[in-house]
Amino acid sequence: MPSRAPALNLKTINPAVLDVHYAVRGELALKADKYTQILADPKEKNSLPFDHVVTANIGNPQQRGLNQVPLTYWRQVISLLENPPLFEEHLDVIKQIYPEDVIERAKSLHQEIGSVGAYTHSKGVLAIRKRVAKFIEERDGFPADPESIYLTAGASAGVSSTLSIALQEGDGCMIPIPQYPLYTATLAYLNAKPIPYYLSEANDWSMDHETLLKAVEEAKKKNIPVKALVIINPGNPTGACLSHEAMEAVVRLCYEEGIVLMADEVYQTNIYDPSHRPFVSFKKVLKGMPKEIADTVELISFHSISKGVSGECGRRGGYFECVNISDEVMEQVYKMASVTLCPPVSGQVGVDLMVSPPKQGEPSYEKWKQETSLIHENLKERSYLMAEHFNKMPGVSCNPAEGAMYLFPKIQMPQKAIDEAKKRGKEADVMYALDLLDATGICAVAGSGFGQEPGTYHLRVTALCPETAEFVGRFEKFHREFMEKYK
Amino acid sequence: MPSRAPALNLKTINPAVLDVHYAVRGELALKADKYTQILADPKEKNSLPFDHVVTANIGNPQQRGLNQVPLTYWRQVISLLENPPLFEEHLDVIKQIYPEDVIERAKSLHQEIGSVGAYTHSKGVLAIRKRVAKFIEERDGFPADPESIYLTAGASAGVSSTLSIALQEGDGCMIPIPQYPLYTATLAYLNAKPIPYYLSEANDWSMDHETLLKAVEEAKKKNIPVKALVIINPGNPTGACLSHEAMEAVVRLCYEEGIVLMADEVYQTNIYDPSHRPFVSFKKVLKGMPKEIADTVELISFHSISKGVSGECGRRGGYFECVNISDEVMEQVYKMASVTLCPPVSGQVGVDLMVSPPKQGEPSYEKWKQETSLIHENLKERSYLMAEHFNKMPGVSCNPAEGAMYLFPKIQMPQKAIDEAKKRGKEADVMYALDLLDATGICAVAGSGFGQEPGTYHLRVTALCPETAEFVGRFEKFHREFMEKYK
């Protein structure tokens, strides 16, 4: 019998998959991986003009080489929960190394959860959801319902599942430009239409009612029903925090146009100067508006343990809260969650530790305070320093970040570079990023992966790399040479 | 301003979601939850005719009340990995309670992974994938490529993602009847067509080439392109293990008809009598067939840490292996995996512990052997005992299970019961299951949730409940009364 052609090829697989793009882990990241392997090989490591790869492309604080340590309290509690005999049979031994509040927390969680190896409720452990509700209430001053809260495998899983429920094929979903490309990737997969609204670089990456309305009108002209609006606050990649006024404009638009508001707030504790612009949640803004708006606009808010100062990306923990969504739709949300059984229990515990940290007076508090403050200060310092240096480089400008963990400098791309990139079949900022990697080992993502005003070029760089001065020095050298090459 | 109607209702959300059904956690499970809450309330607990709910609906071995303990070796290693200071600063203390091989394993994993809080490669940690490849090679005697292996958040996530890549809207996917309803749910969500092939209850729930071909021909008549075939071995809910001959017939069909073979093998270590019918993987069967078949049929095989004897459902760990899938499609698989960043690291570690358990001679081996053997023996004993009792009940017959952790007894449903159920707007086995819950607290899933030959009625019951005699006694009493009521 002769062989036959494969059943699966690019024409026979789900065509929506072909339209999905995710630059954060695309060509550049794969090349950086390859370089990391080369550098690990004693025979080949001298073949590159640098001795280590600097991963400034992914917001992954606990990655090797970035020297952000996990929070002690978290890891102590989780280690006990993983192996209850430690606080059952071996309590006397454990008391030698663990503070009392850690042991109590683990015992209490074990009482509530049982084994971390068992499936939980599909929404996540109720006791944890209750504490998430309490966290939300204390943050905002408005009630939260544990039954409208879903724990998820990171915020990404929640974004994916809620968009896949809310959107029909052909529905429009407003997205900020620039945005975190999970959104464009998900919309492509769902055959939904992204409706871009441009954030204004000249105005702290904000937007106003007019910008939003313009985007809605563009969609209407094309007969695209606008179903949802995604907003990321604090912003990724921009690092910008919205004013109360801007947030009200968004909510008002959603009210007027019958749009579901999806608020990605995973960076809510990465605010560098809370005295200047503290984090305000969209829930709080919504509930503070007139009653007919407050009780009508459908809102889904997302949070995660991957960012903030915990940086527990690999643990896959997060949640979403639904507000003003009908019971019949919430039943569908529950049903879809039940098919995937339950979110990772370790991630659920991470959410609990995030929303209920050690309290003042408890034995773990001082160390927790010290660790979280240090991480926060380091991030802030690096971010300010990098922005300062970017702004000094000729042909580079950079809005300082108010939060999140990224910088999004703009490169004045020389025409010759644009032309050369075209010859290579790439966007100019992609070519810049690839050349940057080849020359320095620094891996940053081109702005085109996030979206940008046409004719502008950016780079997204994380503020996570230690040895900022050395990093900046290498970057500056490359940039000078690049500008010289293409002047 | 007047309030407006919600943007989200059952007409405006993704219509594919409405077609998704997942009986395992549906109406019955929610009712069982409600009863659990009532029983926990001192004021209400006497209002029910039973004092505890027996969850025989979900394959969740570590659930409270089922008394299956986690494997000691696993939890010791994971607890150390969660908190490296335990084997760094506190090694002297830990040595008092942990054996040396546990400490070495944790150190080694920590060396390979780094922090369990960092994102890993989107396919999962390479070192773990290498050991998964080795496990597959040792099991089957054929090479496995770590780059074609993807670690996933349980097998469910892998099934979901591969089907969502492989299938276009309107594509047909063959599924066994009865099947685990993740498959029908996923196909509904993808707007793909389930093509049932009936397993024969009279023949150990097997199927032959003729049955499969008949299903393909039915699909062709309806102009449904048959893209994939799902097979679950050992079976869920049937517990049946396929003969080598039956497996070859499946592979041959996939070869002849250009069908992608999706082999759900999560119960491969739940085989009660390996001397009678040991587990043989589809990979092994495929690679043992003539070259043109062995090198052509596209196969995706799934495994999980949730079942077997580890029962680590809440940890969300598993993997899939792709065989004979083109590079261009594998690139798309990678791309989609990158959008969800990486599988939970704790689950990845679970996969490693599953494929590389303690070896004979190592300090942890004896205890591990003892624990796994006990769990295995208990499961087998309970399964045989329950099947025996089901077969003694008038109007009930039950194929003994050869593996997995379920029984799927058939109920000879009295016509009066069928009529009464119809009045209530339900399938007769759903009514039976609800009445069983109301009368005894036993929660089992009706066969209609899995699919069955029309005119037959089944129940899926897990073999996980301790106090089997008591369980069986309650069941028998209910059954007698039910049959009496509707005779």
Side-chain angles (χ1 to χ4, degrees):
Chain A
M1 248 180 289
S3 256
R4 55 146 175 85
L8 298 179
N9 61 48
L10 296 190
K11 290 204 189 78
T12 64
I13 61 172
N14 180 354
V17 164
L18 298 176
D19 294 329
V20 170
H21 303 291
Y22 186 70
V24 178
R25 288 200 173 209
E27 172 191 13
L28 186 93
L30 292 168
K31 199 172 197 193
D33 268 352
K34 205 180 70 180
Y35 285 165
T36 302
Q37 286 173 44
I38 290 173
L39 292 170
D41 183 342
K43 280 178 273 168
E44 293 203 66
K45 68 183 190 173
N46 294 321
S47 63
L48 296 168
F50 48 85
D51 61 21
H52 65 279
V53 166
V54 181
T55 34
N57 57 321
I58 303 180
N60 189 15
Q62 292 186 29
Q63 183 170 9
R64 231 172 212 144
L66 297 184
N67 72 20
Q68 176 171 321
V69 290
L71 300 177
T72 300
Y73 181 75
W74 284 49
R75 297 309 191 86
Q76 288 178 333
V77 170
I78 292 170
S79 65
L80 292 183
L81 254 184
E82 282 289 354
N83 195 22
L86 288 173
F87 58 83
E88 290 166 352
E89 286 113 68
H90 303 293
L91 186 56
D92 50 319
V93 175
I94 286 305
K95 273 179 156 169
Q96 296 172 41
I97 43 183
Y98 280 7
E100 196 184 304
D101 56 347
V102 161
I103 298 170
E104 283 315 304
R105 186 71 178 264
K107 280 183 177 176
S108 174
L109 279 162
H110 190 245
Q111 181 61 29
E112 289 172 333
I113 301 173
S115 166
V116 297
Y119 290 128
T120 68
H121 192 285
S122 296
K123 295 183 188 183
V125 175
L126 175 59
I128 296 177
R129 286 185 280 124
K130 284 180 174 174
R131 288 189 286 275
V132 171
K134 185 158 175 287
F135 160 81
I136 294 170
E137 287 173 356
E138 285 173 1
R139 183 193 64 193
D140 300 338
F142 295 100
D145 176 11
E147 293 305 337
S148 301
I149 291 165
Y150 280 67
L151 306 185
T152 54
S156 294
V159 165
S160 222
S161 67
T162 51
L163 281 176
S164 74
I165 293 167
L167 302 179
Q168 301 190 347
E169 287 198 18
D171 269 349
C173 178
M174 293 172 69
I175 52 164
I177 299 297
Q179 46 93 53
Y180 172 55
L182 167 68
Y183 296 100
T184 33
T186 306
L187 296 180
Y189 174 71
L190 296 175
N191 285 318
K193 306 275 181 224
I195 298 164
Y197 61 91
Y198 285 82
L199 305 178
S200 169
E201 188 158 12
N203 294 297
D204 290 329
W205 294 114
S206 189
M207 95 301 299
D208 55 19
H209 194 259
E210 198 189 306
T211 312
L212 298 169
L213 205 54
K214 187 170 145 200
V216 171
E217 273 150 24
E218 282 295 312
K220 285 179 175 173
K221 274 192 214 144
K222 298 177 186 164
N223 280 322
I224 299 171
V226 184
K227 189 70 133 320
L229 184 156
V230 169
I231 191 151
I232 310 172
N233 186 47
N236 177 7
T238 65
C241 297
L242 295 166
S243 67
H244 205 277
E245 187 183 1
M247 293 172 77
E248 284 197 349
V250 173
V251 174
R252 200 167 290 276
L253 182 103
C254 290
Y255 178 71
E256 290 162 357
E257 300 290 334
I259 295 171
V260 179
L261 180 51
M262 319 269 292
D264 177 340
E265 300 178 324
V266 303
Y267 295 100
Q268 59 184 270
T269 58
N270 296 110
I271 308 268
Y272 296 137
D273 189 2
S275 61
H276 168 235
R277 187 168 279 163
F279 174 73
V280 180
S281 73
F282 267 98
K283 169 96 179 277
K284 183 171 184 174
V285 168
L286 172 65
K287 287 300 178 184
M289 290 173 80
K291 194 179 192 325
E292 65 275 8
I293 299 177
D295 291 349
T296 302
V297 173
E298 291 139 294
L299 167 67
I300 306 176
S301 310
F302 302 90
H303 199 6
S304 169
I305 66 171
S306 300
K307 310 304 173 189
V309 291
S310 42
E312 291 281 344
C313 305
R315 194 172 299 283
R316 315 311 299 118
Y319 71 78
F320 62 83
E321 181 196 19
C322 296
V323 174
N324 294 333
I325 296 183
S326 69
D327 287 348
E328 63 179 17
V329 172
M330 289 306 285
E331 268 177 44
Q332 297 297 315
V333 174
Y334 173 74
K335 183 180 70 175
M336 294 307 287
S338 76
V339 179
T340 60
L341 301 154
C342 76
V345 178
S346 191
Q348 297 187 41
V349 172
V351 171
D352 195 56
L353 297 171
M354 176 177 75
V355 301
S356 285
K359 295 184 185 51
Q360 199 153 22
E362 289 172 359
S364 296
Y365 180 77
E366 284 308 323
K367 185 165 201 177
W368 173 86
K369 189 82 190 128
Q370 199 179 51
E371 289 175 346
T372 54
S373 301
L374 182 66
I375 290 166
H376 198 261
E377 280 308 305
N378 282 347
L379 205 51
K380 175 175 170 178
E381 209 177 281
R382 271 179 287 197
S383 180
Y384 285 179
L385 193 67
M386 286 170 70
E388 206 183 302
H389 277 270
F390 280 131
N391 279 311
K392 284 189 188 143
M393 292 183 213
V396 182
S397 63
C398 187
N399 284 3
E402 293 172 292
M405 47 182 70
Y406 310 99
L407 286 157
F408 201 59
K410 179 160 81 174
I411 320 276
Q412 295 295 351
M413 200 63 69
Q415 188 58 47
K416 284 189 177 168
I418 297 171
D419 298 336
E420 173 62 25
K422 205 167 196 166
K423 276 196 219 136
R424 293 199 215 172
K426 295 189 183 303
E427 289 293 328
D429 50 9
V430 173
M431 181 181 82
Y432 184 102
L434 286 164
D435 288 358
L436 173 69
L437 173 65
D438 288 347
T440 67
I442 294 171
C443 183
V445 192
S448 51
F450 303 88
Q452 54 206 345
E453 288 270 5
T456 65
Y457 302 91
H458 297 79
L459 216 62
R460 189 188 78 165
V461 188
T462 69
L464 296 170
C465 309
E467 292 150 26
T468 316
E470 197 254 339
F471 170 93
V472 165
R474 278 205 254 173
F475 200 111
E476 276 168 331
K477 180 171 182 285
F478 164 79
H479 179 74
R480 259 184 287 120
E481 289 167 0
F482 184 93
M483 292 310 234
E484 187 59 35
K485 178 175 180 183
Y486 293 108
K487 82 171 181 206
Chain B
M1 251 181 289
S3 255
R4 56 145 175 86
L8 298 179
N9 61 48
L10 296 190
K11 291 205 188 80
T12 63
I13 63 172
N14 180 353
V17 164
L18 298 176
D19 295 328
V20 170
H21 303 291
Y22 186 70
V24 179
R25 289 201 173 209
E27 172 192 13
L28 187 93
L30 292 168
K31 198 172 196 191
D33 267 353
K34 205 180 71 181
Y35 286 166
T36 302
Q37 286 173 42
I38 290 173
L39 291 171
D41 183 344
K43 280 179 271 165
E44 293 204 66
K45 67 182 190 177
N46 293 321
S47 64
L48 296 168
F50 48 86
D51 59 23
H52 65 281
V53 166
V54 181
T55 33
N57 58 320
I58 302 179
N60 189 14
Q62 291 187 28
Q63 183 171 8
R64 233 173 211 141
L66 298 184
N67 73 19
Q68 176 171 322
V69 290
L71 300 178
T72 299
Y73 181 75
W74 283 49
R75 297 308 191 85
Q76 288 177 334
V77 170
I78 292 171
S79 65
L80 292 182
L81 254 184
E82 282 289 354
N83 196 22
L86 287 173
F87 58 83
E88 289 166 351
E89 286 114 68
H90 304 292
L91 186 56
D92 50 320
V93 175
I94 285 305
K95 274 180 155 169
Q96 297 172 40
I97 43 182
Y98 280 6
E100 196 184 304
D101 57 345
V102 161
I103 299 169
E104 283 316 304
R105 186 69 177 264
K107 280 183 180 176
S108 174
L109 278 161
H110 190 245
Q111 182 61 28
E112 289 172 333
I113 301 172
S115 167
V116 296
Y119 289 127
T120 67
H121 192 286
S122 296
K123 294 182 187 183
V125 175
L126 176 59
I128 297 177
R129 287 184 279 123
K130 284 180 174 176
R131 288 190 285 274
V132 170
K134 185 159 175 284
F135 160 80
I136 294 171
E137 287 173 356
E138 287 174 0
R139 184 193 64 193
D140 300 339
F142 295 99
D145 176 11
E147 294 304 337
S148 300
I149 290 166
Y150 281 67
L151 306 186
T152 54
S156 294
V159 165
S160 223
S161 67
T162 51
L163 281 176
S164 74
I165 294 167
L167 302 179
Q168 301 190 346
E169 287 198 19
D171 270 348
C173 177
M174 293 172 68
I175 52 164
I177 299 297
Q179 46 91 53
Y180 172 54
L182 168 68
Y183 296 100
T184 34
T186 306
L187 296 180
Y189 174 71
L190 296 175
N191 284 318
K193 306 274 182 227
I195 298 165
Y197 61 91
Y198 285 83
L199 305 179
S200 168
E201 189 159 10
N203 295 297
D204 290 329
W205 293 115
S206 189
M207 93 303 299
D208 55 20
H209 194 261
E210 199 189 306
T211 312
L212 297 171
L213 206 54
K214 188 171 144 198
V216 171
E217 272 151 25
E218 284 294 311
K220 285 179 175 172
K221 274 191 215 145
K222 298 178 187 162
N223 280 322
I224 301 171
V226 184
K227 190 71 134 317
L229 185 156
V230 168
I231 191 151
I232 310 173
N233 187 47
N236 176 6
T238 65
C241 298
L242 296 167
S243 66
H244 205 278
E245 187 182 3
M247 294 173 78
E248 284 197 349
V250 173
V251 174
R252 199 166 291 275
L253 183 101
C254 290
Y255 178 72
E256 289 162 359
E257 300 291 333
I259 295 171
V260 179
L261 180 53
M262 318 269 292
D264 177 340
E265 301 178 323
V266 304
Y267 295 100
Q268 60 184 268
T269 58
N270 296 109
I271 308 267
Y272 298 137
D273 189 1
S275 61
H276 167 236
R277 187 168 279 164
F279 174 73
V280 179
S281 73
F282 266 99
K283 169 95 178 276
K284 183 170 184 176
V285 169
L286 172 65
K287 289 299 179 184
M289 290 175 78
K291 194 176 191 322
E292 64 275 8
I293 298 177
D295 292 348
T296 303
V297 173
E298 291 140 293
L299 168 67
I300 307 175
S301 309
F302 303 90
H303 198 6
S304 169
I305 66 171
S306 301
K307 311 303 173 188
V309 291
S310 41
E312 292 280 343
C313 305
R315 194 172 300 284
R316 316 311 299 118
Y319 71 78
F320 62 84
E321 181 195 19
C322 296
V323 174
N324 293 333
I325 295 184
S326 69
D327 288 348
E328 64 179 17
V329 172
M330 289 306 285
E331 269 177 43
Q332 298 297 316
V333 174
Y334 173 74
K335 183 180 70 177
M336 295 305 289
S338 75
V339 178
T340 60
L341 301 155
C342 76
V345 179
S346 191
Q348 298 187 42
V349 172
V351 171
D352 195 57
L353 298 170
M354 176 176 74
V355 301
S356 284
K359 296 185 182 57
Q360 199 152 23
E362 290 171 358
S364 297
Y365 180 78
E366 282 309 321
K367 185 167 201 176
W368 174 86
K369 189 81 190 132
Q370 200 179 52
E371 288 174 346
T372 52
S373 301
L374 182 67
I375 290 166
H376 198 261
E377 280 308 305
N378 282 347
L379 204 53
K380 175 176 170 179
E381 210 178 280
R382 270 177 277 168
S383 179
Y384 285 179
L385 192 68
M386 286 170 70
E388 206 184 302
H389 276 269
F390 280 132
N391 279 311
K392 284 193 190 139
M393 291 183 214
V396 181
S397 62
C398 186
N399 283 3
E402 292 172 292
M405 47 182 70
Y406 311 99
L407 286 158
F408 201 59
K410 179 161 79 174
I411 320 274
Q412 295 294 353
M413 200 63 69
Q415 188 58 47
K416 283 188 179 171
I418 298 170
D419 299 337
E420 173 63 24
K422 205 166 196 169
K423 275 195 221 139
R424 293 199 214 171
K426 295 189 184 305
E427 289 293 329
D429 50 8
V430 172
M431 182 182 82
Y432 184 102
L434 286 163
D435 288 358
L436 172 69
L437 174 64
D438 288 347
T440 67
I442 294 170
C443 183
V445 191
S448 52
F450 303 88
Q452 53 205 345
E453 288 270 5
T456 65
Y457 302 91
H458 297 79
L459 215 63
R460 188 189 79 165
V461 188
T462 69
L464 296 169
C465 309
E467 291 149 30
T468 317
E470 199 255 337
F471 169 93
V472 165
R474 277 206 254 175
F475 200 111
E476 277 168 331
K477 180 172 183 285
F478 164 80
H479 179 74
R480 258 184 288 120
E481 289 167 0
F482 183 93
M483 293 309 234
E484 187 60 34
K485 179 174 179 182
Y486 293 107
K487 79 167 180 213

